[in-house]
Amino acid sequence: MIYGKLPIILLSAMASEADGSKEYQIAYYILSNRREAASLSIVALAERCHVSVSSISRFCRSLGLEDFAELRELIRQADWHYEPASRAPLPAQRVADTVSLLHESLDRTASSVDMNAIALLCRKIDAYERVALFGLLKAGTAAQCLQADLLLQDKVAVCKMPLSQQIEYMEHADEHDLILLFSYSGIYFDYLNQRMPKGLERAHVVFITGAREVKSPCINQLIRFDSDLSQASHPLQMQMIAALIAQEYANFRRERG
């Protein structure tokens, strides 16, 4: 797991809330003081964040958590780890190593992705009434890129960054929804804590990943690319897939006339 659930839900909360809001204050405090926060009671955390206890409880529910106890357990289990692309002593060599890694990741993507599968996906994007694009943290940026490129081609797609909002959308999805899930290491569903949204059984779900194996009964189409799953190549490979989908969609529209 490249990113644990705690940074996923708290960074997405900060991205979706206004500066100075109670939710922003709570998320920012926990991320800035996670070691201390791991031992705080709900009352103590509320005092540190200058909010009420009920605000902490509402914050937990807005994240899709059961209660404060689940949030505190996530804080205690959080494991921060950054993986440098190079440990060379000189900056120029670190640049060269990083560029080489990124070039290799793009080559792996290009040589492994099934363009017939992407062409099929583009026909689905055109046909479905509602299209949603979801991903978490860096994978979410690929979803946003595809959303912008589709909009320029007169196809409006939904893209939500907070995990809680993604879950809410998927809960109410039906047979008219096409949902694309970008998940670099293939563990998107692990973040749901086995609370699989009911709408995923009704919607058409396309899973885009660099993982070798993905098993879920709700996946209708799997688009896979080869990856070493390094942190450095994470956003680049996902964004390349998003760009290929946008390009192929443009080609589909052109051939259709």
Side-chain angles (χ1 to χ4, degrees):
M1 184 178 291
I2 294 179
Y3 304 104
K5 186 172 181 178
L6 184 68
I8 290 284
I9 62 176
L10 294 187
L11 286 177
S12 65
M14 288 177 62
S16 62
E17 299 294 342
D19 291 357
S21 70
K22 293 178 181 179
E23 291 78 8
Y24 185 96
Q25 289 175 223
I26 298 168
Y28 185 86
Y29 178 84
I30 294 173
L31 288 174
S32 301
N33 304 274
R34 54 190 177 87
R35 290 181 177 83
E36 179 188 8
S39 61
L40 295 178
S41 67
I42 188 171
V43 174
L45 179 60
E47 290 176 352
R48 299 291 199 285
C49 298
H50 307 290
V51 300
S52 66
V53 171
S54 59
S55 293
I56 299 292
S57 296
R58 285 193 297 271
F59 176 73
C60 294
R61 292 194 295 271
S62 73
L63 298 178
L65 305 177
E66 289 289 345
D67 50 28
F68 174 72
E70 185 176 357
L71 173 62
R72 187 165 58 181
E73 188 61 27
L74 284 178
I75 299 172
R76 289 173 174 171
Q77 293 177 354
D79 180 21
W80 262 235
H81 170 70
Y82 179 73
E83 174 188 297
S86 172
R87 298 183 184 274
L90 299 177
Q93 186 58 52
R94 291 196 293 272
V95 170
D97 290 347
T98 302
V99 171
S100 176
L101 186 152
L102 297 181
H103 272 302
E104 181 186 355
S105 70
L106 290 179
D107 288 341
R108 292 176 75 159
T109 306
S111 62
S112 60
V113 68
D114 184 351
M115 290 306 297
N116 289 326
I118 287 184
L120 174 61
L121 171 58
C122 290
R123 292 194 291 272
K124 295 175 183 177
I125 290 174
D126 191 67
Y128 269 81
E129 295 180 28
R130 295 187 295 268
V131 178
L133 315 170
F134 297 148
L136 301 172
L137 290 188
K138 291 182 179 180
T141 65
Q144 285 185 312
C145 288
L146 181 55
Q147 179 191 37
D149 286 343
L150 290 177
L151 180 62
L152 295 177
Q153 301 181 65
D154 296 319
K155 185 67 179 185
V156 178
V158 173
C159 184
K160 298 181 181 295
M161 299 307 289
L163 177 59
S164 59
Q165 292 182 15
Q166 295 179 25
I167 293 174
E168 181 179 5
Y169 184 99
M170 292 186 290
E171 186 71 33
H172 299 96
D174 59 30
E175 65 275 9
H176 301 294
D177 289 281
L178 172 65
I179 300 176
L180 278 64
L181 298 178
F182 289 83
S183 180
Y184 184 59
S185 55
I187 59 172
Y188 181 92
F189 297 115
D190 292 359
Y191 293 113
L192 305 185
N193 283 356
Q194 299 182 338
R195 301 173 189 146
M196 197 67 71
K198 296 179 181 178
L200 289 181
E201 299 177 0
R202 302 184 291 264
H204 190 88
V205 179
V206 179
F207 202 78
I208 302 169
T209 185
R212 287 185 172 83
E213 292 185 9
V214 177
K215 295 181 181 179
S216 175
C218 69
I219 295 176
N220 301 104
Q221 182 184 359
L222 178 66
I223 295 179
R224 196 193 157 273
F225 55 90
D226 187 40
S227 176
D228 63 2
L229 300 181
S230 66
Q231 288 182 351
S233 60
H234 179 352
L236 206 59
Q237 286 191 291
M238 301 298 285
Q239 288 172 3
M240 181 176 177
I241 295 295
L244 290 175
I245 294 171
Q247 292 287 337
E248 197 62 25
Y249 186 69
N251 183 69
F252 167 78
R253 284 167 53 90
R254 185 170 56 252
E255 291 183 344
R256 186 189 59 184

mmCIF file of all heavy atoms in Angstrom, residues 192-211:
data_model
loop_
_atom_site.group_PDB
_atom_site.id
_atom_site.type_symbol
_atom_site.label_atom_id
_atom_site.label_comp_id
_atom_site.label_asym_id
_atom_site.label_seq_id
_atom_site.Cartn_x
_atom_site.Cartn_y
_atom_site.Cartn_z
ATOM 1 N N LEU A 192 -12.273 1.139 1.395
ATOM 2 C CA LEU A 192 -13.701 1.196 1.733
ATOM 3 C C LEU A 192 -14.026 0.400 2.989
ATOM 4 O O LEU A 192 -15.179 0.389 3.430
ATOM 5 C CB LEU A 192 -14.533 0.657 0.564
ATOM 6 C CG LEU A 192 -14.307 1.320 -0.800
ATOM 7 C CD1 LEU A 192 -15.289 0.760 -1.822
ATOM 8 C CD2 LEU A 192 -14.433 2.820 -0.715
ATOM 9 N N ASN A 193 -13.036 -0.290 3.559
ATOM 10 C CA ASN A 193 -13.263 -1.092 4.776
ATOM 11 C C ASN A 193 -14.394 -2.105 4.603
ATOM 12 O O ASN A 193 -15.217 -2.309 5.486
ATOM 13 C CB ASN A 193 -13.580 -0.184 5.972
ATOM 14 C CG ASN A 193 -12.343 0.472 6.528
ATOM 15 O OD1 ASN A 193 -11.244 0.206 6.076
ATOM 16 N ND2 ASN A 193 -12.525 1.344 7.493
ATOM 17 N N GLN A 194 -14.430 -2.710 3.425
ATOM 18 C CA GLN A 194 -15.425 -3.741 3.108
ATOM 19 C C GLN A 194 -16.851 -3.202 3.104
ATOM 20 O O GLN A 194 -17.806 -3.983 3.119
ATOM 21 C CB GLN A 194 -15.315 -4.925 4.090
ATOM 22 C CG GLN A 194 -13.956 -5.617 4.031
ATOM 23 C CD GLN A 194 -13.866 -6.796 4.965
ATOM 24 O OE1 GLN A 194 -14.600 -6.907 5.945
ATOM 25 N NE2 GLN A 194 -12.943 -7.708 4.690
ATOM 26 N N ARG A 195 -17.003 -1.882 3.073
ATOM 27 C CA ARG A 195 -18.346 -1.291 2.953
ATOM 28 C C ARG A 195 -18.607 -1.002 1.484
ATOM 29 O O ARG A 195 -18.597 0.144 1.045
ATOM 30 C CB ARG A 195 -18.432 -0.004 3.773
ATOM 31 C CG ARG A 195 -18.133 -0.196 5.253
ATOM 32 C CD ARG A 195 -18.066 1.139 5.950
ATOM 33 N NE ARG A 195 -17.566 0.989 7.306
ATOM 34 C CZ ARG A 195 -16.811 1.891 7.916
ATOM 35 N NH1 ARG A 195 -16.471 3.003 7.289
ATOM 36 N NH2 ARG A 195 -16.406 1.698 9.147
ATOM 37 N N MET A 196 -18.790 -2.029 0.701
ATOM 38 C CA MET A 196 -18.942 -1.876 -0.728
ATOM 39 C C MET A 196 -20.249 -1.146 -1.042
ATOM 40 O O MET A 196 -21.332 -1.602 -0.688
ATOM 41 C CB MET A 196 -18.950 -3.241 -1.410
ATOM 42 C CG MET A 196 -18.696 -3.160 -2.904
ATOM 43 S SD MET A 196 -17.022 -2.609 -3.322
ATOM 44 C CE MET A 196 -16.049 -4.033 -2.845
ATOM 45 N N PRO A 197 -20.165 0.019 -1.684
ATOM 46 C CA PRO A 197 -21.388 0.756 -2.031
ATOM 47 C C PRO A 197 -22.326 -0.092 -2.882
ATOM 48 O O PRO A 197 -21.893 -0.766 -3.822
ATOM 49 C CB PRO A 197 -20.845 1.958 -2.819
ATOM 50 C CG PRO A 197 -19.449 2.135 -2.314
ATOM 51 C CD PRO A 197 -18.943 0.741 -2.063
ATOM 52 N N LYS A 198 -23.599 -0.051 -2.554
ATOM 53 C CA LYS A 198 -24.579 -0.910 -3.222
ATOM 54 C C LYS A 198 -24.693 -0.608 -4.711
ATOM 55 O O LYS A 198 -24.977 -1.494 -5.517
ATOM 56 C CB LYS A 198 -25.936 -0.751 -2.541
ATOM 57 C CG LYS A 198 -25.951 -1.219 -1.094
ATOM 58 C CD LYS A 198 -27.324 -1.000 -0.464
ATOM 59 C CE LYS A 198 -27.326 -1.448 1.000
ATOM 60 N NZ LYS A 198 -28.634 -1.201 1.653
ATOM 61 N N GLY A 199 -24.480 0.656 -5.078
ATOM 62 C CA GLY A 199 -24.628 1.032 -6.475
ATOM 63 C C GLY A 199 -23.624 0.395 -7.409
ATOM 64 O O GLY A 199 -23.848 0.318 -8.620
ATOM 65 N N LEU A 200 -22.498 -0.096 -6.862
ATOM 66 C CA LEU A 200 -21.496 -0.728 -7.710
ATOM 67 C C LEU A 200 -22.004 -2.033 -8.303
ATOM 68 O O LEU A 200 -21.482 -2.506 -9.312
ATOM 69 C CB LEU A 200 -20.212 -0.982 -6.913
ATOM 70 C CG LEU A 200 -19.393 0.258 -6.542
ATOM 71 C CD1 LEU A 200 -18.137 -0.140 -5.791
ATOM 72 C CD2 LEU A 200 -19.042 1.078 -7.770
ATOM 73 N N GLU A 201 -23.013 -2.615 -7.694
ATOM 74 C CA GLU A 201 -23.602 -3.831 -8.243
ATOM 75 C C GLU A 201 -24.497 -3.512 -9.435
ATOM 76 O O GLU A 201 -24.750 -4.374 -10.280
ATOM 77 C CB GLU A 201 -24.421 -4.550 -7.165
ATOM 78 C CG GLU A 201 -23.605 -4.991 -5.962
ATOM 79 C CD GLU A 201 -24.475 -5.620 -4.890
ATOM 80 O OE1 GLU A 201 -25.705 -5.699 -5.103
ATOM 81 O OE2 GLU A 201 -23.933 -6.023 -3.854
ATOM 82 N N ARG A 202 -24.955 -2.256 -9.515
ATOM 83 C CA ARG A 202 -25.858 -1.845 -10.598
ATOM 84 C C ARG A 202 -25.123 -1.135 -11.724
ATOM 85 O O ARG A 202 -25.495 -1.262 -12.886
ATOM 86 C CB ARG A 202 -26.948 -0.932 -10.035
ATOM 87 C CG ARG A 202 -27.784 -1.566 -8.929
ATOM 88 C CD ARG A 202 -28.907 -0.636 -8.484
ATOM 89 N NE ARG A 202 -28.400 0.534 -7.781
ATOM 90 C CZ ARG A 202 -28.313 0.638 -6.462
ATOM 91 N NH1 ARG A 202 -28.673 -0.390 -5.698
ATOM 92 N NH2 ARG A 202 -27.868 1.744 -5.890
ATOM 93 N N ALA A 203 -24.102 -0.362 -11.379
ATOM 94 C CA ALA A 203 -23.373 0.430 -12.365
ATOM 95 C C ALA A 203 -22.414 -0.444 -13.175
ATOM 96 O O ALA A 203 -22.139 -1.597 -12.832
ATOM 97 C CB ALA A 203 -22.605 1.548 -11.666
ATOM 98 N N HIS A 204 -21.898 0.132 -14.269
ATOM 99 C CA HIS A 204 -20.859 -0.532 -15.058
ATOM 100 C C HIS A 204 -19.528 0.037 -14.602
ATOM 101 O O HIS A 204 -19.256 1.227 -14.764
ATOM 102 C CB HIS A 204 -21.072 -0.274 -16.552
ATOM 103 C CG HIS A 204 -20.190 -1.113 -17.434
ATOM 104 N ND1 HIS A 204 -20.566 -2.367 -17.867
ATOM 105 C CD2 HIS A 204 -18.951 -0.891 -17.932
ATOM 106 C CE1 HIS A 204 -19.592 -2.880 -18.618
ATOM 107 N NE2 HIS A 204 -18.602 -2.001 -18.663
ATOM 108 N N VAL A 205 -18.685 -0.799 -14.021
ATOM 109 C CA VAL A 205 -17.457 -0.358 -13.371
ATOM 110 C C VAL A 205 -16.237 -0.767 -14.201
ATOM 111 O O VAL A 205 -16.057 -1.941 -14.533
ATOM 112 C CB VAL A 205 -17.342 -0.946 -11.952
ATOM 113 C CG1 VAL A 205 -16.032 -0.502 -11.302
ATOM 114 C CG2 VAL A 205 -18.533 -0.506 -11.104
ATOM 115 N N VAL A 206 -15.406 0.219 -14.527
ATOM 116 C CA VAL A 206 -14.153 -0.018 -15.244
ATOM 117 C C VAL A 206 -13.009 0.296 -14.289
ATOM 118 O O VAL A 206 -12.941 1.388 -13.724
ATOM 119 C CB VAL A 206 -14.049 0.864 -16.500
ATOM 120 C CG1 VAL A 206 -12.725 0.607 -17.215
ATOM 121 C CG2 VAL A 206 -15.229 0.598 -17.432
ATOM 122 N N PHE A 207 -12.119 -0.650 -14.093
ATOM 123 C CA PHE A 207 -11.023 -0.522 -13.135
ATOM 124 C C PHE A 207 -9.718 -0.383 -13.898
ATOM 125 O O PHE A 207 -9.363 -1.241 -14.709
ATOM 126 C CB PHE A 207 -10.986 -1.755 -12.233
ATOM 127 C CG PHE A 207 -10.285 -1.542 -10.922
ATOM 128 C CD1 PHE A 207 -10.904 -0.877 -9.881
ATOM 129 C CD2 PHE A 207 -8.997 -2.019 -10.724
ATOM 130 C CE1 PHE A 207 -10.268 -0.689 -8.660
ATOM 131 C CE2 PHE A 207 -8.341 -1.840 -9.517
ATOM 132 C CZ PHE A 207 -8.974 -1.172 -8.474
ATOM 133 N N ILE A 208 -8.978 0.707 -13.639
ATOM 134 C CA ILE A 208 -7.739 1.007 -14.356
ATOM 135 C C ILE A 208 -6.587 0.932 -13.363
ATOM 136 O O ILE A 208 -6.557 1.673 -12.375
ATOM 137 C CB ILE A 208 -7.810 2.405 -14.994
ATOM 138 C CG1 ILE A 208 -9.010 2.473 -15.950
ATOM 139 C CG2 ILE A 208 -6.520 2.732 -15.731
ATOM 140 C CD1 ILE A 208 -9.337 3.866 -16.429
ATOM 141 N N THR A 209 -5.624 0.051 -13.612
ATOM 142 C CA THR A 209 -4.627 -0.224 -12.577
ATOM 143 C C THR A 209 -3.306 -0.738 -13.142
ATOM 144 O O THR A 209 -3.256 -1.251 -14.271
ATOM 145 C CB THR A 209 -5.182 -1.261 -11.584
ATOM 146 O OG1 THR A 209 -4.259 -1.454 -10.513
ATOM 147 C CG2 THR A 209 -5.443 -2.589 -12.277
ATOM 148 N N GLY A 210 -2.268 -0.605 -12.332
ATOM 149 C CA GLY A 210 -0.979 -1.188 -12.655
ATOM 150 C C GLY A 210 -0.724 -2.470 -11.885
ATOM 151 O O GLY A 210 0.345 -3.066 -11.992
ATOM 152 N N ALA A 211 -1.697 -2.900 -11.101
ATOM 153 C CA ALA A 211 -1.552 -4.126 -10.312
ATOM 154 C C ALA A 211 -1.646 -5.361 -11.208
ATOM 155 O O ALA A 211 -2.363 -5.368 -12.203
ATOM 156 C CB ALA A 211 -2.628 -4.187 -9.243
#
